[in-house]
Amino acid sequence: IETAKKITQNMFLHQAHVGNATGENEWYTPESYIQAATELMGTIDVDPASSEIANQIVKATTYFTIETNGLTQKWLGNIWMNPPYAQPLITNFCNLLVDKYVTGEVKQACVLVNNATETIFYQNMLTHCQAVCFIQGRVKFLDKSGKALGTPLQGQTILYFGTNFHEFGLIFSKFGVIFYGK
């Protein structure tokens, strides 16, 4: 019995890092990333997965909340997206962004997501984006009160969709290494 208890404790202590996730979806992007996206794109026309609190920093012309459901709306112009990280929402938002970019509804986009390179939705984004910033360290997301407490369990990336990929590299390289798409 004692051996089984030790094995169970050891398994808990050494479980996959992402197995410790809180399940909380209300984490907001620090202003430095929003400033860089605005510098790059000129404006943020739409934030499709947002809230009133988040838009105080993002300052998107149009933003959609849980109630207004960005998955059912038009996303015209320049997009900033920090989607909810829970499934199936992250897959739905990321795949829809790619669809809207391919059809021309989205002119440019910056997407902040976990570096989940093994997932189908991330591979779909990589296939269509022009550049990726692999952020050094972990993003300190803001909680509902604006405090930088939300350090995620895996690293993050910002994927860029659009023609200004060289400028993306210049602006976002302060956050991490840049890789360019095909």
Side-chain angles (χ1 to χ4, degrees), residues 87 91 114-124:
Q87 286 293 1
T91 294
N114 284 339
N115 60 1
T117 58
E118 78 286 2
T119 63
I120 294 170
F121 79 84
Y122 197 92
Q123 290 286 316
N124 185 33

Side-chain angles (χ1 to χ4, degrees), residues 29 97 116 124 134 157 180:
T29 307
L97 179 121
N124 185 33
F134 286 86
T157 59
Y180 295 96

Side-chain angles (χ1 to χ4, degrees), residues 37 40-41 79-81 108-112 158-160 168 172:
L40 172 66
M41 298 188 293
I79 311 302
W80 167 263
M81 189 170 77
Q108 295 182 91
C110 289
V111 181
L112 173 60
I158 297 176
L159 294 93
Y160 173 70
F168 172 84
F172 281 84

Side-chain angles (χ1 to χ4, degrees), residues 83-97:
Y85 284 18
Q87 286 293 1
L89 291 173
I90 192 167
T91 294
N92 295 342
F93 273 100
C94 292
N95 287 341
L96 187 57
L97 179 121

Side-chain angles (χ1 to χ4, degrees), residues 107-166:
K107 178 182 173 186
Q108 295 182 91
C110 289
V111 181
L112 173 60
V113 293
N114 284 339
N115 60 1
T117 58
E118 78 286 2
T119 63
I120 294 170
F121 79 84
Y122 197 92
Q123 290 286 316
N124 185 33
M125 288 195 301
L126 282 175
T127 300
H128 293 89
C129 75
Q130 283 65 48
V132 181
C133 174
F134 286 86
I135 297 171
Q136 182 177 4
R138 304 274 166 83
V139 174
K140 288 195 178 255
F141 288 96
L142 308 177
D143 68 8
K144 292 177 185 177
S145 68
K147 294 180 183 166
L149 298 176
T151 304
L153 300 172
Q154 42 185 128
Q156 289 70 52
T157 59
I158 297 176
L159 294 93
Y160 173 70
F161 298 79
T163 59
N164 293 327
F165 51 90
H166 290 297

